[in-house]
Amino acid sequence: MNVVWFVGSLAFLGGMLAGALLYHLLAGSKSERGKLQNQLDELQNDFKDYQNKVSDHFGTTAHLINKLTDSYRDVHEHMASGAENLCEDEVVKNRLSDALLSSNALLSGKITKRRTERPKAVEQPKDYAPKQAPDEKGTLSEEFSVKPEDKPAAPAVEVGPVNPMPGEKQAS
């Protein structure tokens, strides 16, 4: 009977060892997978937090830029009204008001131009002399600005016989 107990306890211990080994092999990989899943979830949460911070940053930046634009516009309006009230010279008023009006406000039609007259547009310099009259010769004409008495006569050049080099015979 001792042998039966001994074999039974050995079988029980062998079964316990086999069960522990199987649990370690199968459940161990699940615990590694669980660790990796936890790391992935943590990284995803960190990324979402980062995206929210970036979104908040750009939202705040846009708000601050709008405030800056409003302040800038207020300063311009203050300068324009000061120029209107304090300056008596029309030319200075026009110059200041034109300088203070932003191009966006002019294009959108929110602010009307105060200056009614514009200076004549500066013409780009030409690299040729324009005609004074329609029948006049243009600058590309052969006779442009050349008078007949100014043309020098072509000098007469005599072409004589060419002297042969020493040792050459002259062809007759």
Side-chain angles (χ1 to χ4, degrees):
M1 199 77 185
N2 279 340
V3 175
V4 173
W5 281 101
F6 180 71
V7 172
S9 21
L10 244 144
F12 179 74
L13 285 175
M16 290 288 282
L17 281 172
L21 181 67
L22 282 173
Y23 176 77
H24 179 68
L25 291 175
L26 297 176
S29 65
K30 286 183 183 177
S31 66
E32 284 297 319
R33 207 176 313 148
K35 287 180 186 177
L36 290 177
Q37 185 63 40
N38 288 341
Q39 284 180 345
L40 179 64
D41 292 340
E42 186 178 324
L43 287 174
Q44 284 178 340
N45 289 336
D46 289 345
F47 182 66
K48 285 180 184 177
D49 289 341
Y50 174 75
Q51 284 180 329
N52 289 335
K53 287 179 183 178
V54 168
S55 177
D56 290 342
H57 168 76
F58 284 111
T60 303
T61 302
H63 175 70
L64 291 173
I65 287 175
N66 287 338
K67 280 176 49 178
L68 179 67
T69 303
D70 291 341
S71 298
Y72 188 68
R73 187 181 62 240
D74 291 343
V75 169
H76 275 247
E77 288 173 359
H78 173 72
M79 293 293 288
S81 67
E84 187 73 30
N85 294 333
L86 300 174
C87 294
E88 294 178 9
D89 188 12
E90 277 300 314
V91 174
V92 173
K93 279 185 187 179
N94 285 336
R95 227 181 311 149
L96 284 173
S97 64
D98 282 351
L100 293 174
L101 295 175
S102 68
S103 62
N104 288 338
L106 284 174
L107 291 175
S108 67
K110 291 180 182 174
I111 299 175
T112 58
K113 293 184 244 182
R114 295 181 188 190
R115 195 169 181 179
T116 57
E117 62 185 51
R118 289 272 171 203
K120 186 177 174 184
V122 178
E123 189 174 325
Q124 182 177 359
K126 298 177 179 163
D127 58 350
Y128 61 90
K131 292 181 181 181
Q132 299 299 326
D135 59 338
E136 187 179 35
K137 297 282 186 186
T139 55
L140 298 177
S141 172
E142 295 276 334
E143 294 85 28
F144 179 74
S145 293
V146 178
K147 297 178 181 151
E149 62 268 5
D150 289 346
K151 286 187 181 178
V157 178
E158 283 189 33
V159 179
V162 178
N163 293 334
M165 300 277 278
E168 284 187 20
K169 295 182 183 176
Q170 190 173 11
S172 323

